[in-house]
Amino acid sequence: MKKHQWIATLLSLICTGLGMFYIGTPGMIIGGTLLMAFQGAALFIFFMTLGFLGLIIGPLAIGLHIIGLIIPVIYFNYRSPKKPMFDEKRKRQLASPWKIVLRTVIGLALFAGSIYAGYTWGSAPFMKTAAEKREVQEAAESYLEQKYNEPFKVTDVDYTWAIGSYNLRAHPVQSPELEFTLSSNEASPPSISNDTYLNLLWGQQLRDRLKPLLAELYPDQAFANAYVNSDIDTIERDYNQLANTDGDISQNISLIVFADLTADNLAQEKERVLELIRRLPSVAVPGETDLHIEYYGADLKTPDRVKKLEQDFDMNGKQSTHIFREFDISKITSTDDIEIRGLE
């Protein structure tokens, strides 16, 4: 079967090493497989390092592609005409369908093996084994149980090579809905830190305290989420007791409100927001409070969406119509200080 240079060149241009597979000799198949494997490993490392090695890997990947383009050109233009017996043998080999099939199978096997080996060996420095992740998981669960004197379950252990640390998700065994995050380094034994358990626990308690106020001001319209920060050194589970500590308190309150705001009722909504801000100190502990309100059309409030909001406070990509944001509500003294921006 006659091979054409322009087909080999075009295939090499489309994919590194593909033109060498088209030529089909054992050497070309092995060479094409190696070029594909090396380029694939280089691109994998590029993505695993978040592009930090782009100045090195980018030229390397392009260079491998150019090599795969040049080799078929050399094969067709510079092979020796002084070996007629060799050329005749190659023609007979190419003319045998079973030999072509056999070489194709061998080439595919080599290609699959090189991809697997390249992925396994190439990814090893950037990933952690199941045993290493299990060690971090067990260390995190032990750390949390000793710190808070209750059992916890770590559900996710993700390793980030670029910063050399683990990101974990966990929840108390008795309250699986209270999922929080924490971190670990890659030392052995691991050092666990930055857990947000109390932040979310306090936020849950603040959200419960907000419900009666929201039911009064936004009957069947508003849903809340809260996150509380405190720099106290002691472990205090009761949000109310934070008022008796010496640490600085900051709290973020987020609301989703289903209401059709128009130019006619916008002033009325500002009055309602002002009333909410004036009464928040009665349910929140003293400290800086950030208030964030997103407004959605009333027709988006469905039983299924309400149930989901109560679980994970997510509108799943639905676009809000208006938004209000104040990072310190103590600065709000009148409706003139309130800006509800339209987003449509």
Side-chain angles (χ1 to χ4, degrees), residues 169-180:
R169 300 189 72 85
H171 63 257
V173 173
Q174 302 301 324
S175 304
E177 76 283 353
L178 194 63
E179 191 175 58
F180 61 93

Side-chain angles (χ1 to χ4, degrees), residues 95-141:
S96 304
W98 70 269
K99 291 183 178 180
I100 296 175
V101 172
L102 178 61
R103 288 172 179 171
T104 301
V105 171
I106 293 174
L108 291 174
L110 290 172
F111 177 70
S114 64
I115 292 296
Y116 174 78
Y119 175 81
T120 303
W121 298 335
S123 64
F126 311 106
M127 302 178 71
K128 293 297 182 180
T129 64
E132 290 172 318
K133 290 185 176 181
R134 187 164 53 251
E135 179 185 8
V136 173
Q137 178 183 4
E138 293 172 353
E141 291 175 347

Side-chain angles (χ1 to χ4, degrees), residues 197-266:
Y197 172 51
L198 289 179
N199 305 103
L200 295 181
L201 180 63
W202 294 329
Q204 185 183 65
Q205 296 171 21
L206 173 56
R207 185 172 66 250
D208 292 339
R209 289 168 62 92
L210 281 167
K211 287 181 179 179
L213 177 58
L214 295 178
E216 178 183 346
L217 296 178
Y218 299 88
D220 296 324
Q221 289 181 290
F223 299 84
N225 194 29
Y227 188 90
V228 180
N229 272 313
S230 176
D231 58 3
I232 60 173
D233 296 326
T234 58
I235 295 176
E236 177 56 67
R237 283 184 171 84
D238 190 347
Y239 170 74
N240 295 329
Q241 295 302 317
L242 292 180
N244 302 323
T245 62
D246 296 329
D248 292 330
I249 310 296
S250 62
Q251 42 213 349
N252 173 268
I253 298 174
S254 299
L255 302 182
I256 288 177
V257 176
F258 294 99
D260 296 321
L261 296 188
T262 64
D264 294 333
N265 62 17
L266 194 58

